């Protein structure tokens, strides 16, 4: 049984305790991960403080070279990373490869850091006076990342922070920690000096130590809304800059003129991909009109029933297990509650049993129809392979449903109508919008971030927002006295 250690200044460090790590497909305990707290965070901060000045003093061009090499290593090692993800998270190999690819895109964006850090200059703002601005690194920053994307989400943060000249402390999820250590090894091979990136594992004690440490200038977080709210409040109280991305309840509106087969296929990938364990998963389908709803459910039912579910070693698997037994049971309880409240259970994924994997954390795809906004299966973020159909009488009702929801991460509309699309885009109160695109995750040179209870803080992640979050603005106003060209004399003092 392997032990996943902290990494400080490039060296493994034992923890004050350990937590178990499981293979979700088999239910087998495969390892243990070190737990960190105040002592480990203090050691990581000291290592970062020792390494940061030299790293901050390197040229943006040099930092870009490290990013280029990391991009190459990610491509070369993508299968290793994907297998590491799947072994502890459970997602299929193809899902894991997709995760690595999306993280790699942010590294590619960070390769352009010399251009991204350029400031502005104004000559002659007053007589003989010039003014310019520059962006400088914050110092030591930290990231607290979730279990559902153990490679992609750290790569939303680390490349941007490092390229801007900061040192970084990563606290990954304790549920699938091995990918973080593998990423650290790749950064070292890419040329990152020891101590610039440190990895501390653990749970709440490590999180609180990060939020309270005065040597950490900023914290990035991705996770559930209650924890995001906590991280934001405690981090800001400690004087830190904080970006905390929370949960979601993403809706996909299907208009009467939509291609229903295309919409059904899109809902399958968006609702059940990665077993629904992603903040941009579509968990609510909103067909407009009873005829559209009946036709959509009729198309979805056989597709959900036919989902190929299996371990990541099965190349034909379309969906893997959930990350833990406790999470599987939690998701199952929402299905229980939705059915008891009156939702029609079209496809029931509970009780799935795979031969040879009887102890795995399995739950099949579930489809609930005639869900209403008062049901917990609608109100709460479930984070599992459960798609709810909320029937809407009109387009206006659909817009009102989405705008009334406290979550506002992503949404989508499927239609052929440009007028409806334009109105939806302008009026919908959600941070990321898809038009005939079910999961509107922005490319790396834009920025990711929701609205309302899906984010706390004023900055999204990666893209231009990432540069602004990991740097601070300095503005210089300059005027020089008359010099040698006006006749000033220089005298050599022999003393």
């Amino acid at each position: 049984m392997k032990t996943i250690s902290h990494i400080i200044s490039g060296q493994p460090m034992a923890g004050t305790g350990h937590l178990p790590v499981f293979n979700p497909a088999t239910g087998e305990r495969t390892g243990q991960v070190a737990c960190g707290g105040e002592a480990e965070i203090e050691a990581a901060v000291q290592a970062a403080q020792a390494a940061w000045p030299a790293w901050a003093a390197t040229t943006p061009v040099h930092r870009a070279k490290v990013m280029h090499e990391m991009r190459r290593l990610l491509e070369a090692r993508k299968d290793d990373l994907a297998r590491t993800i799947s072994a502890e998270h459970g997602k299929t190999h193809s899902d894991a490869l997709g995760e690595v690819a999306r993280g790699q895109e942010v590294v590619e964006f960070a390769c352009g850091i010399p251009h991204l850090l350029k400031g502005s200059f104004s000559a002659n703002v007053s007589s003989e006076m010039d003014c310019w601005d520059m962006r400088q690194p914050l110092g030591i920053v930290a990231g607290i990342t979730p279990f559902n994307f153990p490679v992609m989400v750290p790569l939303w943060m680390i490349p941007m922070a490092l390229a801007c000249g900061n040192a970084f402390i990563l606290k990954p999820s304790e549920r699938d920690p091995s990918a973080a250590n593998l990423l650290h090894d790749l950064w070292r091979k890419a040329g990152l000096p020891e101590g610039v990136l440190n990895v501390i594992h653990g749970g709440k004690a490590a999180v609180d130590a990060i939020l309270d440490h005065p040597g950490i200038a900023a914290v990035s977080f991705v996770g559930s809304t209650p924890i995001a709210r906590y991280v934001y409040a405690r981090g800001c109280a400690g004087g830190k800059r904080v970006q905390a991305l929370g949960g979601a309840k993403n809706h996909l509106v299907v208009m009467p003129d939509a291609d229903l087969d295309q919409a059904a296929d899109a809902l399958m990938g968006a609702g059940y991909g990665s077993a629904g364990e992603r903040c941009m998963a579509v968990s609510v389908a909103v067909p407009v009109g009873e005829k559209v709803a009946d036709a959509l459910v009729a198309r979805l039912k056989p597709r959900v029933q036919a989902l190929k579910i299996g371990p990541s070693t099965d190349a034909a698997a379309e969906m893997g297990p959930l990350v833990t037994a406790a999470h599987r049971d939690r998701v199952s309880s929402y299905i229980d509650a939705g059915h008891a409240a009156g939702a029609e259970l079209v496809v029931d994924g509970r009780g799935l049993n795979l031969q040879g994997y009887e102890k795995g954390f399995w739950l099949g795809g579930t489809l609930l129809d005639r869900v209403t906004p008062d049901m917990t299966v609608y109100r709460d973020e479930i984070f599992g392979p459960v798609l709810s159909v909320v029937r809407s009488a009109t387009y206006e009702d659909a817009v009102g449903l989405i705008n009334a929801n406290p979550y506002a991460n992503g949404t989508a509309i499927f239609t052929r109508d440009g007028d409806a699309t334009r109105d939806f885009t302008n009026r919908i109160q959600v941070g990321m919008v898809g038009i005939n695109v079910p999961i509107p995750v922005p490319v790396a040179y834009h920025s990711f971030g929701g609205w309302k209870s899906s984010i706390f803080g004023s900055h999204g992640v990666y893209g231009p927002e990432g540069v602004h979050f990991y740097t601070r603005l300095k503005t210089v106003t300059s005027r020089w006295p008359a010099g040698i060209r006006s006749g000033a004399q220089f005298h050599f003092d022999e003393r």
Side-chain angles (χ1 to χ4, degrees):
M1 186 170 64
K2 67 177 180 179
T3 297
I4 301 102
S5 302
H6 310 302
I7 304 177
I8 299 178
S9 289
Q11 301 300 315
M13 177 180 175
T16 52
H18 294 91
L19 291 169
V21 177
F22 294 92
N23 179 338
T26 64
E28 173 192 6
R29 180 173 174 174
T30 57
Q32 59 183 10
V33 60
C35 286
E38 291 183 5
E40 290 77 13
I41 294 299
E42 175 62 30
V45 170
Q46 289 185 12
Q49 287 174 334
W52 173 65
W55 176 247
T58 61
T59 65
V61 170
H62 175 78
R63 298 199 294 267
K65 289 179 179 178
V66 175
M67 300 299 129
H68 277 286
E69 181 61 14
M70 182 61 176
R71 187 213 63 79
R72 187 192 69 78
L73 289 170
L74 286 171
E75 180 64 26
R77 298 289 301 277
K78 61 185 178 184
D79 278 304
D80 293 337
L81 280 162
R83 282 190 289 269
T84 301
I85 294 166
S86 296
E88 294 177 355
H89 177 276
K91 66 178 64 176
T92 65
H93 189 68
S94 59
D95 266 348
L97 283 173
E99 172 181 346
V100 175
R102 293 309 300 264
Q104 185 178 336
E105 291 173 5
V106 181
V107 179
E108 291 171 348
F109 177 74
C111 291
I113 198 63
H115 174 76
L116 298 170
L117 289 179
K118 287 195 304 184
S120 61
F121 183 90
S122 295
N124 298 318
V125 295
S126 185
S127 177
E128 305 290 333
M129 188 179 294
D130 304 323
C131 187
W132 71 90
D133 59 59
M134 62 183 77
R135 304 206 70 92
Q136 295 188 317
L138 303 177
I140 316 303
V141 300
I144 302 166
T145 58
F147 74 85
N148 58 323
F149 289 104
V151 166
M152 185 184 75
V153 174
L155 289 179
W156 281 359
M157 304 172 185
I158 298 172
M160 302 309 304
L162 297 182
C164 289
N166 300 282
F168 198 91
I169 297 170
L170 174 64
K171 206 301 288 182
S173 171
E174 65 276 17
R175 297 177 186 177
D176 44 11
S178 293
N181 285 22
L182 179 51
L183 281 177
H184 175 275
D185 292 344
L186 294 181
W187 280 110
R188 285 187 65 193
K189 291 177 182 177
L192 190 70
E194 292 181 358
V196 176
L197 173 63
N198 301 281
V199 181
I200 302 297
H201 298 284
K204 186 175 184 298
V207 171
D208 288 346
I210 287 171
L211 297 175
D212 295 342
H213 199 292
I216 296 175
V219 176
S220 300
F221 171 85
V222 175
S224 69
T225 286
I227 306 303
R229 185 180 286 110
Y230 171 83
V231 166
Y232 183 73
R234 187 158 179 166
C236 289
K240 300 185 192 324
R241 181 180 292 187
V242 182
Q243 56 178 185
L245 278 66
K249 199 71 180 180
N250 304 318
H251 302 66
L252 189 151
V253 176
V254 182
M255 295 292 287
D257 67 333
D259 182 322
L260 292 184
D261 286 317
Q262 182 188 58
D265 288 341
L267 283 165
M268 291 301 299
Y272 302 105
S274 197
E277 293 175 320
R278 51 190 181 193
C279 66
M280 289 298 285
V282 171
S283 56
V284 184
V286 188
V288 177
E290 288 295 317
K291 289 184 179 180
V292 175
D294 290 342
L296 181 65
V297 171
R299 284 167 170 78
L300 285 171
K301 181 178 178 179
R303 286 169 165 85
V304 178
Q305 291 172 327
L307 269 174
K308 172 64 175 175
I309 299 170
S312 62
T313 52
D314 182 353
E318 298 171 298
M319 192 176 90
L322 296 188
V323 68
T324 64
H327 186 54
R328 175 201 59 200
D329 295 344
R330 175 182 176 274
V331 176
S332 293
S333 73
Y334 276 107
I335 301 171
D336 298 341
H339 191 208
E344 179 184 341
L345 190 54
V346 180
V347 182
D348 187 355
R350 296 171 297 181
L352 179 66
N353 190 19
L354 267 64
Q355 186 175 357
Y357 296 90
E358 289 81 4
K359 294 183 179 180
F361 312 140
W362 301 101
L363 183 70
T366 296
L367 178 63
L368 292 165
D369 191 12
R370 302 187 186 278
V371 172
T372 56
D374 59 302
M375 297 178 184
T376 57
V377 73
Y378 172 80
R379 294 200 312 266
D380 296 351
E381 182 182 34
I382 298 175
F383 224 60
V386 180
L387 179 63
S388 297
V389 178
V390 178
R391 296 174 175 233
S392 181
T394 67
Y395 166 77
E396 288 297 330
D397 289 342
V399 170
L401 176 75
I402 296 169
N403 284 347
N405 197 281
Y407 296 111
N409 216 35
T411 191
I413 185 170
F414 272 57
T415 182
R416 294 182 173 94
D417 186 352
D419 174 61
T421 294
R422 191 170 189 274
D423 181 80
F424 187 83
T425 301
N426 289 330
R427 290 174 54 203
I428 212 71
Q429 297 171 21
V430 178
M432 292 171 282
V433 179
I435 307 301
N436 298 313
V437 175
I439 304 180
V441 176
V443 293
Y445 43 89
H446 287 267
S447 296
F448 181 107
W451 289 6
K452 297 192 283 190
S453 292
S454 291
I455 193 168
F456 300 88
S458 56
H459 291 285
V461 294
Y462 64 75
E465 288 281 279
V467 175
H468 289 170
F469 180 78
Y470 289 118
T471 59
R472 51 189 169 188
L473 185 69
K474 179 180 286 184
T475 305
V476 180
T477 304
S478 171
R479 181 171 62 193
W480 292 95
I484 192 169
R485 72 177 180 88
S486 297
Q489 298 296 316
F490 290 90
H491 299 282
F492 179 67
D493 190 339
E494 296 182 354
R495 287 178 299 174

